Amino acid sequence: MTARIFWFLPTAGDGRSIVGASHASSHRVEPAGFRRPSLRYLTEVAQAADRLDYEGVLTPTGTWCEDAWLTTAALLQATRRLKFLVAFRPGLTPPTLAAQQAATLQRFSEGRVLFNVVTGGDDAEQRRFGDWVDHDRRYARTDEYLDLVRRIWTEDSVDHDGEFYRVEDARVSEAPDPLPEFWFGGSSDPALAVAAKRVQTYLTWGEPPAAAKAKIERVRALADEEGRKLTYGIRLHTISRDTSEEAWAVAQRLLDELPDDAVEKAHRLHAASQSEGQRRMAALHGGSKDSLEIYPNLWAGVGLIRGGAGTALVGSHEEVANLIGEYHDAGFDEFILSGYPHLEEAYHFAEGVRPILDQRGVTAPARR
């Protein structure tokens, strides 16, 4: 199976410095040259991704992001073939309403919508949105939620009385066609169990290839027990240039701009997160600016400040292509990439790395 390459919509803002905080943070620092996530700017990024033949874009969710559903609805009209992987939190939208919203988006987009299910890892952020269910029970709720939404899409009428939801005669006016795929990430045992039962693609953040492969092998074994086959995706940043020296110079500049006190504060928050995935990201660098190349051409510097995905592919276009090939050989077919700034980095990757991947058969040639 050839790999599919997705890009990322910076709905929390963008710039030439690392932008982003943990969603549990009480505030966000806007660096010099901060690009606000206006509709005009996000349209530029989405149209660039559409033009450069990315498969789609991830529309994220969280405290510091513009709303993912509304952003996607606005940008669908400005793009031609680009897919939108819409992040949403199951505990915050009633399942019948989510099924209806998803069906509408799928019809209006003519089949270009996928959903990234974000169960939520930090109690602090969940409580901002009125969600007081604890970590493990959130995954039990997600399990019930995804089963219920799919039933509402595929059955004429649904009655359900479960642990978290009770509906009577739940339905949509017309089933979405095709049914939107569920993508899902999570590193804890409850998360892996939900992935094996309910989703089409399991996502993980960018740990070194052997560690990432070990994680998806656990999911694959659980899915086999359920009689299901999943695809596997990985979330990474990228800094690719004509030469390795140029790329590492960009990484060093990003690092030099990070205040030590901000790094220390972010690490304390990330290392104590209820999210096992976030703790694993924090452990890759330990809050230190030293020894950040944790695997050849894999750099943990982004995670010093940014919550969530914290590693970047750094190197010449060929070196970055080599590492993507290594992840592909490890079992990953879906790649969600990003870089600072997202508009410019979309071009660096598409024009520098993508032709190498096409030539090697890792990705399919552009469909222009």
Side-chain angles (χ1 to χ4, degrees):
M1 180 176 175
T2 55
R4 299 194 299 177
I5 309 294
F6 288 71
W7 198 242
F8 182 85
L9 287 174
T11 63
D14 202 2
R16 296 183 182 275
S17 301
I18 295 174
V19 179
S22 169
H23 294 312
S25 299
S26 59
H27 69 283
R28 175 187 60 190
V29 175
E30 297 182 359
F34 180 72
R35 301 180 187 177
R36 301 202 64 79
S38 65
L39 179 58
R40 182 176 180 180
Y41 181 66
L42 294 175
T43 298
E44 287 186 64
V45 177
Q47 289 180 333
D50 200 16
R51 185 166 54 252
L52 293 168
D53 203 52
Y54 287 93
E55 183 75 18
V57 287
L58 170 60
T59 314
T61 188
T63 296
W64 307 112
C65 299
E66 297 293 352
D67 181 78
W69 294 80
L70 295 177
T71 300
T72 297
L75 294 177
L76 279 169
Q77 298 181 68
T79 52
R80 181 175 60 86
R81 46 150 296 278
L82 194 70
K83 294 177 182 176
F84 287 81
L85 178 58
V86 185
F88 80 101
R89 297 177 185 259
L92 306 184
T93 306
T96 307
L97 177 58
Q100 183 184 51
Q101 289 175 324
T104 299
L105 270 184
Q106 190 71 310
R107 279 192 291 277
F108 286 2
S109 70
E110 298 181 332
R112 292 193 282 142
V113 171
L114 316 164
F115 287 96
N116 179 29
V117 180
V118 181
T119 297
D122 283 294
D123 287 349
E125 186 184 34
Q126 295 301 119
R127 290 170 182 173
R128 288 184 190 131
F129 290 92
D131 183 8
W132 291 77
V133 176
D134 66 34
H135 177 276
D136 286 3
R137 290 186 70 240
R138 285 199 290 267
Y139 284 102
R141 181 178 62 189
T142 295
D143 180 54
E144 182 178 336
Y145 189 99
L146 296 182
D147 180 52
L148 184 52
V149 168
R150 184 162 291 276
R151 288 182 60 202
I152 293 169
W153 283 339
T154 57
E155 299 177 20
D156 291 336
S157 175
V158 175
D159 294 333
H160 175 85
D161 189 358
E163 179 181 0
F164 299 97
Y165 300 103
R166 182 180 180 184
V167 298
E168 183 176 311
D169 191 28
R171 61 178 68 207
V172 291
S173 61
E174 183 181 348
D177 183 21
L179 295 182
E181 296 176 11
F182 289 137
W183 295 35
F184 175 93
S187 297
S188 64
D189 289 342
L192 302 189
V194 172
K197 289 174 62 178
R198 301 297 181 199
V199 308
Q200 286 71 53
T201 298
Y202 174 75
L203 285 172
T204 186
W205 289 326
E207 298 178 31
K213 181 178 181 179
K215 185 188 288 187
I216 66 171
E217 288 298 336
R218 289 182 61 199
V219 180
R220 184 175 282 115
L222 292 170
D224 285 345
E225 293 175 5
E226 299 286 340
R228 304 183 68 243
K229 298 293 183 184
L230 277 60
T231 58
Y232 298 92
I234 192 162
R235 173 80 179 89
L236 294 153
H237 305 277
T238 180
I239 304 171
S240 74
R241 296 295 186 271
D242 292 338
T243 68
S244 185
E245 292 76 14
E246 289 178 86
W248 283 109
V250 173
Q252 186 62 49
R253 180 180 58 76
L254 291 174
L255 184 63
D256 291 342
E257 293 175 351
L258 300 180
D260 291 342
D261 60 339
V263 170
E264 181 181 354
K265 182 177 181 180
H267 183 65
R268 285 199 306 269
L269 184 64
H270 296 161
S273 172
Q274 286 89 16
S275 165
E276 183 174 334
Q278 183 63 79
R279 295 196 304 271
R280 289 170 70 130
M281 282 285 101
L284 293 177
H285 54 70
S288 171
K289 290 184 177 182
D290 300 324
S291 304
L292 289 171
E293 189 178 6
I294 57 173
Y295 186 82
N297 300 106
L298 184 65
W299 185 66
V302 178
L304 289 169
I305 291 289
R306 186 190 191 279
T311 52
L313 309 169
V314 182
S316 68
H317 301 311
E318 184 170 5
E319 288 171 333
V320 169
N322 290 343
L323 190 47
I324 287 179
E326 195 170 340
Y327 280 113
H328 189 241
D329 289 342
F332 291 95
D333 293 314
E334 314 286 1
F335 292 80
I336 303 176
L337 306 178
S338 57
Y340 297 105
H342 288 73
L343 183 59
E344 289 90 327
E345 286 296 335
Y347 280 92
H348 282 299
F349 183 88
E351 295 175 348
V353 181
R354 183 62 186 270
I356 300 172
L357 296 175
D358 288 350
Q359 185 179 36
R360 296 177 180 177
V362 175
T363 50
R367 293 165 292 182
R368 300 183 189 89

